[in-house]
Amino acid sequence: MEERGSPDGDLARSLEQGPEGPETPIQVVLRVRPMSAAELRRGQQSVLHCSGTRTLQVSPPGGGPEVAFRFGAVLDAARTQEDVFRACGVRRLGELALRGFSCTVFTFGQTGSGKTYTLTGPPPQGEGVPVPPSLAGIMQRTFAWLLERVQHLGAPVTLRASYLEIYNEQVRDLLSLGSPRPLPVRWNKTRGFYVEQLRVVEFGSLEALMELLQTGLSRRRSSAHTLNQASSRSHALLTLYISRQTAQQMPSVDPGEPPVGGKLCFVDLAGSEKVAATGSRGELMLEANSINRSLLALGHCISLLLDPQRKQSHIPFRDSKLTKLLADSLGGRGVTLMVACVSPSAQCLPETLSTLRYASRAQRVTTRPQAPKSPVAKQPQRLETEMLQLQEENRRLQFQLDQMDCKASGLSGARVAWTQRNLYEMLQEFMLENERLRKEKSQLQDSRDLARNEQRILAQQVHALERRLLSACYRHQRGPDLTPPCPCLMAPAPPCHALPPLYSCPCCHICPLCRVPLAHWACLPRERHLPQVLDPEASGGRSPSARPPPWAPPCSPGSAECPRERSHSDWTQTRVLAEMLTEEEVVPSAPPLPVRPPKTSPGLRGGAGVPNLAQRLEALRDQIGSSLRRGRSQPPCSEGARSPGQVLPPR
Ligand code: ADP
Ligand code: MG
């Protein structure tokens, strides 16, 4: 179980979310080498003190303010090589490399600070003399751990290694079969920066790998100067290629190309140095300048990588061979571990502070770890790319469709609004018209009720006038030889047939008013019943038989037999006549109805019985006129002459 807060634990947590996980910061651990015998001899003091496992305090000589730096782990001089190996987190990187990630471990610091020692232990004591196991550095220990780990994987793993150095801005193959010669650094889309024609050696055992390491170390340029008797004069990169498939199963895309899979790269940087401090001259000064220039380019790239707007910024990885080959480790898809090395000596304080600041800033550089895709996985990758393109096209089309919908909805919205407005106006019009029709209907109903009432009153008046007319006629014609009058007239009070029949049927003897059968004698002879009343002259030359009775149903308005339409004069005459008969003033209950066109429904303007009543009134008027004329020519025997207004007795 990893220690909480250790680089291994932090890195594991940051990568638990998968290859496409969040940005992962560069892990930085600090190693403080012990004071060398020479430094102690010169009486130099240590200005570095560890506080806990992650904090380093710097105590400047002379009592200046202390400065503290915090890293993933701080390993002081007392820590052994094994402690450094276990605490720095390199095993986690080995695990990630086995899973296909590209991982890098590099040391950084002033020359003579222990970078090479931390990675590979002390310099060999002689040709072919191996480093004692207890002093072996991170690289040897990792090799041993990795090979043991591979043996327990239970799956075939192919291990290859390359080893190069960058010396005076030239890449040299430390594993080349012949003498090292400069190799070009190329770039392509799939591999990024790579060294062309670099020899990649497959190995199958720890011993073989150690031999490759020793070969490279022995060929690497180193020189002695004031600060380091075995100072590395080049940046060295040893890379392990880890493939969990055999070459037969997964051939490389290009011949000579390293197999695709995980990588674990160890970078031993040449230390920055002050030429004045190291006393370099000639070739050494040229090497120092080249080293410093490449380290300066590295520092510049890290500074830009710390810029929040770095995605819009250009990172000058091409400024040096070192930054080219570290581009993927610093700003790409790799996982990176930096081991910053410092000397505790007060004499090295300026460079130590510079290294500490540099390392602190590097902690904020992040990468996006991503496992490289194998050729077998390229088909799904193409499909995934195609799917992403289709999804993008789908989004674009959906966007266009939404825009069209918006426009269409805008148009239809206008139409809907227009339709709703029109419908509302139509509804208002319908409501107004409905209200108007309702009022008109109410008026028509009132008018109809008024007409019916008028009809009823007129019928009563006509009825009364008929009775009085017949009574007057009977009294006027009464004589000893006359047959008894109709019981309708003689009877005292029955409501209907108390009136004498005005015009009885000659064969059935039925009272025409109430339809009651009468005695035979009760019926007046046809010629004597109303011969005077129905005067042919007064009736327009028509015989009584030819003339329809007053109560007969009215003929159709267009018929030749139809009497003329009522007029205002008719009403006036009728009223005068009624007043003459009743000797009272007759006030019409309704004004005379206007003359309506034939198509107008009579039911709404007075009912069907009104014309009939008018005819009956007209007939009564004729009869009364005839009676008055007869009365003037033949005065009654029992009564004196009287005025026409006194013909009829008062009620
Ligand atoms: P650099 O590579 O940074 O220039 P080196 O690794 O070559 O420095 O170390 C310089 C000297 O210091 C070497 O002689 C090395 O043996 C010694 N040294 C460095 N680190 C340690 C250490 N942790 N313990 C003992 N000796 C060390
Ligand atoms: Mg070195």
Side-chain angles (χ1 to χ4, degrees):
M1 189 168 177
E2 300 294 344
E3 180 190 356
R4 183 175 178 82
S6 69
D8 268 355
D10 293 344
L11 187 61
R13 277 189 292 278
S14 67
L15 295 175
E16 273 174 357
Q17 300 185 37
E20 304 289 350
E23 292 187 346
T24 301
I26 291 178
Q27 298 293 313
V28 178
V29 298
L30 180 70
R31 188 181 194 192
V32 182
R33 72 163 172 79
M35 296 285 285
S36 67
E39 291 168 339
L40 290 174
R41 270 199 309 276
R42 290 193 288 268
Q44 297 176 2
Q45 295 180 344
S46 174
V47 292
L48 305 179
H49 308 280
C50 292
S51 174
T53 58
R54 304 183 70 174
T55 304
L56 179 72
Q57 288 185 328
V58 181
S59 303
E66 285 195 348
V67 183
F69 294 88
R70 186 174 175 84
F71 299 99
V74 175
L75 307 165
D76 61 13
R79 308 295 289 267
T80 65
Q81 295 281 70
E82 180 67 14
D83 294 337
V84 173
F85 167 73
R86 291 185 176 278
C88 70
V90 69
R91 288 178 295 175
R92 174 59 60 187
L93 266 66
E95 292 285 0
L96 293 171
L98 286 171
R99 290 166 52 187
F101 287 89
S102 178
C103 304
T104 303
V105 182
F106 70 96
T107 53
F108 177 81
Q110 179 191 12
T111 185
S113 61
K115 300 181 295 295
T116 302
Y117 184 93
T118 299
L119 280 179
T120 57
Q125 298 298 313
E127 186 75 20
V129 179
V131 176
S134 61
L135 299 179
I138 292 176
M139 290 175 68
Q140 293 95 328
R141 296 175 191 275
T142 303
F143 293 166
W145 172 87
L146 182 65
L147 285 170
E148 185 181 354
R149 185 78 176 80
V150 166
Q151 286 180 353
H152 291 88
L153 278 178
V157 175
T158 301
L159 296 173
R160 292 177 170 84
S162 66
Y163 202 178
L164 62 85
E165 69 173 353
I166 303 172
Y167 175 72
N168 287 342
E169 276 300 292
Q170 289 185 339
V171 174
R172 291 156 44 103
D173 190 349
L174 296 176
L175 300 180
S176 64
L177 296 175
S179 59
R181 56 186 178 87
L183 299 177
V185 177
R186 308 286 188 196
W187 182 90
N188 69 29
K189 192 173 182 179
T190 56
R191 298 179 64 185
F193 290 106
Y194 67 98
V195 178
E196 195 174 52
Q197 299 176 356
L198 179 68
R199 185 176 179 230
V200 179
V201 180
E202 184 175 337
F203 62 91
S205 66
L206 178 60
E207 292 72 22
L209 180 58
M210 290 296 186
E211 190 174 339
L212 292 173
L213 174 64
Q214 287 302 123
T215 301
L217 286 175
S218 63
R219 299 174 75 171
R220 188 181 175 189
R221 295 291 184 96
S222 65
S223 300
H225 54 69
T226 307
L227 295 180
N228 190 351
Q229 294 300 312
S231 175
S232 309
R233 311 309 293 170
S234 67
H235 309 298
L237 285 80
L238 187 147
T239 304
L240 299 179
Y241 304 93
I242 305 169
S243 173
R244 302 183 69 165
Q245 290 178 292
T246 63
Q248 290 75 20
Q249 291 171 319
M250 188 188 65
S252 298
V253 176
D254 299 322
E257 183 177 315
V260 177
K263 289 195 304 182
L264 183 56
C265 181
F266 298 90
V267 180
D268 182 15
L269 294 178
S272 59
E273 61 180 70
K274 290 182 178 178
V275 176
T278 56
S280 299
R281 298 284 186 276
E283 189 179 11
L284 283 178
M285 191 172 68
L286 186 66
E287 291 169 355
N289 289 337
S290 177
I291 293 168
N292 289 339
R293 192 163 52 247
S294 62
L295 292 175
L296 191 65
L298 179 61
H300 188 207
C301 289
I302 289 177
S303 296
L304 291 175
L305 287 169
L306 290 171
D307 184 355
Q309 305 296 325
R310 70 179 190 181
K311 287 185 170 55
Q312 284 76 36
S313 303
H314 167 67
I315 309 298
F317 288 117
R318 293 178 180 272
D319 282 2
S320 72
K321 298 282 176 46
L322 176 66
T323 49
K324 285 180 181 177
L325 297 181
L326 291 180
D328 200 40
S329 301
L330 295 173
R333 296 171 291 185
V335 184
T336 303
L337 168 64
M338 171 190 281
V339 182
C341 299
V342 293
S343 167
S345 172
Q347 192 178 6
C348 299
L349 183 58
E351 287 76 15
T352 298
L353 288 173
S354 175
T355 300
L356 292 173
R357 295 190 188 102
Y358 199 93
S360 293
R361 297 172 63 191
Q363 289 184 113
R364 292 185 279 126
V365 175
T366 57
T367 59
R368 284 189 175 276
Q370 182 178 5
K373 301 291 191 301
S374 67
V376 177
K378 283 186 178 178
Q379 184 67 17
Q381 184 181 4
R382 275 199 294 272
L383 291 175
E384 185 179 355
T385 303
E386 188 175 351
M387 187 181 70
L388 290 175
Q389 290 174 346
L390 289 173
Q391 286 177 343
E392 179 60 29
E393 185 178 0
N394 189 23
R395 274 194 293 271
R396 185 168 50 80
L397 291 174
Q398 186 66 43
F399 177 73
Q400 293 177 354
L401 190 62
D402 291 343
Q403 284 188 325
M404 292 175 65
D405 285 346
C406 287
K407 292 178 181 176
S409 65
L411 290 175
S412 66
R415 288 198 190 100
V416 168
W418 179 83
T419 305
Q420 286 179 342
R421 191 165 54 249
N422 279 1
L423 285 175
Y424 182 71
E425 291 174 356
M426 289 170 64
L427 182 63
Q428 281 186 320
E429 290 177 2
F430 282 138
M431 290 175 66
L432 292 174
E433 185 174 358
N434 195 20
E435 185 65 22
R436 184 175 55 80
L437 290 172
R438 192 176 291 118
K439 287 181 179 176
E440 185 175 352
K441 177 188 173 186
S442 177
Q443 291 174 353
L444 290 174
Q445 286 177 339
D446 292 345
S447 179
R448 183 195 62 185
D449 295 342
L450 210 59
R452 284 180 177 171
N453 194 33
E454 178 189 358
Q455 178 189 5
R456 185 178 53 80
I457 294 172
L458 285 174
Q460 291 175 354
Q461 290 178 353
V462 167
H463 202 88
L465 287 173
E466 284 178 343
R467 289 171 56 195
R468 293 183 180 183
L469 175 62
L470 292 177
S471 298
C473 291
Y474 177 75
R475 284 195 301 271
H476 180 73
Q477 294 176 355
R478 189 172 48 190
D481 56 338
L482 286 177
T483 54
C486 177
C488 297
L489 291 174
M490 301 306 293
C496 178
H497 54 275
L499 288 172
L502 182 62
Y503 189 82
S504 62
C505 176
C507 57
C508 61
H509 306 284
I510 294 176
C511 176
L513 295 178
C514 61
R515 313 303 294 176
V516 172
L518 302 174
H520 180 70
W521 57 268
C523 294
L524 293 172
R526 186 176 180 181
E527 62 277 11
R528 297 188 61 185
H529 192 95
L530 285 174
Q532 299 83 6
V533 175
L534 300 178
D535 184 6
E537 185 182 347
S539 61
R542 290 197 296 181
S543 66
S545 60
R547 181 176 179 151
W551 51 83
C555 64
S556 63
S559 168
E561 299 295 327
C562 181
R564 59 185 173 86
E565 293 284 348
R566 291 173 297 159
S567 64
H568 190 272
S569 59
D570 294 337
W571 278 94
T572 306
Q573 292 175 9
T574 303
R575 197 181 74 180
V576 171
L577 176 60
E579 289 173 355
M580 289 170 62
L581 291 172
T582 60
E583 296 180 345
E584 293 176 355
E585 184 182 4
V586 175
V587 179
S589 60
L593 294 174
V595 176
R596 305 283 300 178
K599 63 180 180 180
T600 304
S601 171
L604 295 175
R605 294 291 181 185
V610 173
N612 189 19
L613 293 174
Q615 288 175 1
R616 293 174 67 184
L617 280 173
E618 188 176 1
L620 287 172
R621 184 189 60 188
D622 294 341
Q623 293 175 13
I624 292 171
S626 298
S627 298
L628 291 175
R629 283 193 296 273
R630 286 181 74 87
R632 280 193 293 270
S633 59
Q634 295 178 357
C637 51
S638 58
E639 298 180 9
R642 58 177 65 181
S643 66
Q646 294 173 327
V647 170
L648 293 177
R651 298 184 66 170

